[in-house]
Amino acid sequence: MRDAHKIMEKIISLAKQRGFIFQSSEIYGGLKSAYDYGPLGVELKRNIMNEWWRTMVYEREDVTGLDASIIMHPKVWEASGHLAGFSDPLVDCLISKERFRADKAPTPNIGDEIHITCNDKGQAKNYQLAIEKRFNIVLQRNGKNLEGLKVIDTNKIGFFETDQEKESKTFDFPGYVSPTFNSPFLSKEKQFNLMFRSQIGAVDALGDIANFVNDNKHLDKDEMKQGIEKIVKDSAVYLRPETAQAMFVQFLNCQQTMSMKIPFGIAQMGKSFRNEITTEHYIFRSCEFEQMEMEFFVEPGTQKKWLDYWIDKRLEWWKSFSNYPDNFIYRAHEKDELAHYADACYDIEYKYPWGYDELEGVASRTDYDLKKHAEHSGTKLSYFDQQKEDPETGKMGWRYTPYVIEPAAGATRGLLVYLIDAYHEETVQDAKGNDTTRVVMKLHPKLAPFKVAVLPLIKKDGLPEIARDLVNSFMKAGINARYDEQHAIGKRYRRHDEVGTPYCLTIDGETKADNCVTIRDRDTMKQERVSMNEAVKIIIDKLNQSTTD
Ligand code: ATP
């Protein structure tokens, strides 16, 4: 059933048809990699984020919340290193012109043959000619593949003529090939800033730039660029590329106003923006997305213990809403993968249809961020523990810069994970006894956009009125219920299966006489008749039960 190749197409189509996710600005042709969360998508996203907030903030005395500005003082990004270093190495394929991130590209091993894979035979012919012209070799054409290259060692690939054991020519090999075509003919890596820049203030920098260019016509290209850059920089602001920095910048305010004692955390969720050059896999990597991040401040020397603690907590959290908890794993970062400020890092990964990939990072960020912000702002960002002995002086009372453990999750990426997890196709029999496919989104009831649908069997005889009253009772109890009278009952059940509504309540001709309704369970399709007076309580019990399973 869970056909890896087709599943993404099916989910994307269902998400659009059923109002979960739309292409942004669709009527204008859409904006690449920007998505809108529709009537059901917004509910699912909020439910995921609310559950995160409940677990991370409400249920913990040691974590407090924050909702900071998206646009912060530019010095924040200077101190954090984002302005100088928040860039990914980018590479162009010299043949196909494909541009991609070097750190995300496939890495063939020594001895592997490299087949440049084109879209069709015509393209293979063109690329063969282009490679011949530029590198003076004729690769063998095999359908839409170009063959004859092999990795010789970590930094060389060889060209092998047909049936020859020895290479006739070698080329530099950066350790990776282009993701779409498998091409090893690549440019040098270039840096690219992932932060979106904008301008703040009443005066438009364009006027100053025009004057500068007019007055400095004698400057060469680099000098001119530097001059313009300086003017732009004076009024530049940035859309945050992560929510994390606000928690460091507001460390003292949060700690002091809430009298927090170490260890404690500050949590925040909200939008982040990255000028991603490779947007991929639908909403997995987009330029605008939502994060759920928490900075947990700990005593120096205890970071390993807390890192282990948070990896377990976060992994369990993701699993608790899943039909297939084994699809979530964690993976330690290799030394060369570690960010310069981290002394250890783990990725919580999910088994997406294209393989295991990141869902959340749990990093041990040392005292790097607080120290950097203290240095750049001139504000002491430290903590005084009266009960602890200072390890250096041996006296009671220890002032130190806390270490930080950061569980940083993607909310929109999490939404994709739960859509994939929930998507099921089942063979069931229709009214005539024929096999038919039932698509059902087995979303965890806590995440499902609607918890209950109330369906009058027919649109007359007072059934709609009874159904509407029942919907109101659910609303009063704080349960998102949906009144639905469109189409035949079977079609309505299917519609609610496809959006993941865990329970459908049907009001029929008998209801008036026996004051009972039929509850249909989404997953088992079993039906039970219950008293209408009890319906709200029964559903509340079922929803509560689903969270303690
Ligand atoms: P990746 O390696 O996938 O680019 P990252 O390591 O740069 O991610 P972090 O900076 O650790 O990501 O951000 C924390 C989380 O935010 C990620 O685990 C992911 O779930 C989410 N995230 C990061 N970038 C994006 C994006 N462009 N689109 C959607 N979610 C994102």
Side-chain angles (χ1 to χ4, degrees), residues 42-98:
V42 60
E43 297 298 332
L44 177 57
K45 179 147 71 78
R46 278 194 187 161
N47 290 343
I48 293 170
M49 295 175 84
N50 288 343
E51 282 303 311
W52 183 86
W53 194 258
R54 193 172 60 77
T55 318
M56 299 296 271
V57 182
Y58 293 160
E59 290 181 0
R60 300 192 63 107
E61 278 182 29
D62 57 356
V63 179
T64 186
L66 179 70
D67 184 8
S69 289
I70 285 174
I71 295 174
M72 298 171 74
H73 196 293
K75 282 202 163 159
V76 170
W77 308 114
E78 225 172 275
S80 67
H82 284 86
L83 261 183
F86 195 68
S87 51
D88 283 329
L90 279 190
V91 176
D92 291 325
C93 169
L94 299 173
I95 305 303
S96 67
K97 308 295 174 230
E98 176 188 11

Side-chain angles (χ1 to χ4, degrees), residues 86 88 101 103-104 194 241-242 273-274 276 278-280 283-293 318 333 341 345 347-348 352 357-362 406-414:
F86 195 68
D88 283 329
R101 272 175 65 173
D103 59 336
K104 299 277 171 198
L194 281 178
E242 58 176 38
F273 304 82
R274 294 183 191 178
E276 300 273 12
T278 347
T279 49
E280 55 184 349
I283 56 170
F284 175 82
R285 186 182 308 287
S286 42
C287 291
E288 179 176 341
F289 54 100
E290 299 225 34
Q291 289 187 304
M292 310 181 291
E293 298 194 292
W318 287 111
H333 275 208
Y341 48 74
C345 186
D347 280 350
I348 293 177
Y352 297 89
D357 216 331
E358 181 173 335
L359 169 60
E360 171 162 359
V362 187
E406 176 193 78
T412 38
R413 206 176 272 188

Side-chain angles (χ1 to χ4, degrees), residues 331-339 344-347 358 361-362:
R331 181 184 69 80
H333 275 208
E334 301 291 337
K335 277 235 148 51
D336 59 357
E337 260 183 289
L338 274 184
C345 186
Y346 287 79
D347 280 350
E358 181 173 335
V362 187

